[in-house]
Amino acid sequence: ELACPAESGAIVFHIAEQHAGLLPSDTNARARAITWMFAALSTMEPVIVQREASIYLEGDEPWHEERLHLVEERIHDRLGILATRLGASEWLDGSFSAGDLLMIQVLRRLSGSGILDCHENLAAYVRRGEARPAFQRAFKAQLAVFSGRSADEK
């Protein structure tokens, strides 16, 4: 079947329901974690994807720089709200959850852009997520798939 990026939330939600630790057992905390999952995919990711589309598909258009500037302003606005909400906390709502997993993955799309550098607490948040052993294992496995090797090969 054809997979699309919109399915990533459903996949993470399914996995989170099957494995303890990704969704809190407390009803209210669980609802907040799910809310962060939606926020990552429906509030943060679309504007980041707009930036990518502008760079890769519209770069030769005469209005490209103006549009890119506007899109990046929207990204900074949303990142500012998220940075304020995160504050000095390690994760978005107490313990690491599926909401953090998706938010970090979305924010990683800004790697190399310098945009996260304006929000040090978000940059540190992404680094914490990337340092998690589960992330390291999953990233290694993903790289192996793209290279055609098994994840255990060096």
Side-chain angles (χ1 to χ4, degrees), residues 84-151:
T84 298
R85 171 58 180 86
L86 180 64
S89 299
E90 188 174 23
W91 308 114
L92 290 170
D93 191 58
S95 299
F96 181 85
S97 75
D100 294 296
L101 189 153
L102 283 171
M103 188 65 75
I104 289 164
Q105 189 58 33
V106 166
L107 295 178
R108 288 185 77 243
R109 295 183 80 146
L110 294 169
S111 294
S113 70
I115 292 175
L116 276 181
D117 297 342
C118 297
H119 307 278
E120 180 49 39
N121 67 331
L122 294 180
Y125 170 66
V126 171
R127 288 191 300 271
R128 280 191 300 279
E130 291 172 334
R132 292 176 54 82
F135 176 90
Q136 293 294 314
R137 287 190 306 273
F139 192 67
K140 181 179 177 184
Q142 183 180 16
L143 289 177
V145 168
F146 288 119
S147 71
R149 298 186 319 231
S150 82

Side-chain angles (χ1 to χ4, degrees), residues 20-92:
L22 289 175
L23 286 176
S25 57
D26 173 76
T27 303
N28 290 331
R30 179 183 173 89
R32 289 190 305 272
I34 293 168
T35 299
W36 283 116
M37 292 173 66
F38 278 90
L41 298 175
S42 63
T43 301
M44 297 303 295
E45 189 172 45
V47 71
I48 293 170
V49 171
Q50 286 176 9
R51 179 183 178 275
E52 292 167 351
S54 179
I55 291 168
Y56 297 117
L57 302 175
E58 303 166 349
D60 57 348
E61 299 292 344
W63 39 263
H64 166 71
E65 289 299 323
E66 183 177 350
R67 174 169 160 64
L68 182 60
H69 178 73
L70 292 173
V71 170
E72 288 181 348
E73 280 183 354
R74 285 195 297 268
I75 292 171
H76 280 291
D77 288 346
R78 291 176 190 186
L79 290 177
I81 294 166
L82 182 62
T84 298
R85 171 58 180 86
L86 180 64
S89 299
E90 188 174 23
W91 308 114
L92 290 170

Side-chain angles (χ1 to χ4, degrees), residues 1-35:
E1 284 192 31
L2 180 64
C4 69
E7 294 173 352
S8 62
I11 292 166
V12 170
F13 183 69
H14 176 76
I15 292 168
E17 287 200 308
Q18 306 303 314
H19 299 282
L22 289 175
L23 286 176
S25 57
D26 173 76
T27 303
N28 290 331
R30 179 183 173 89
R32 289 190 305 272
I34 293 168
T35 299

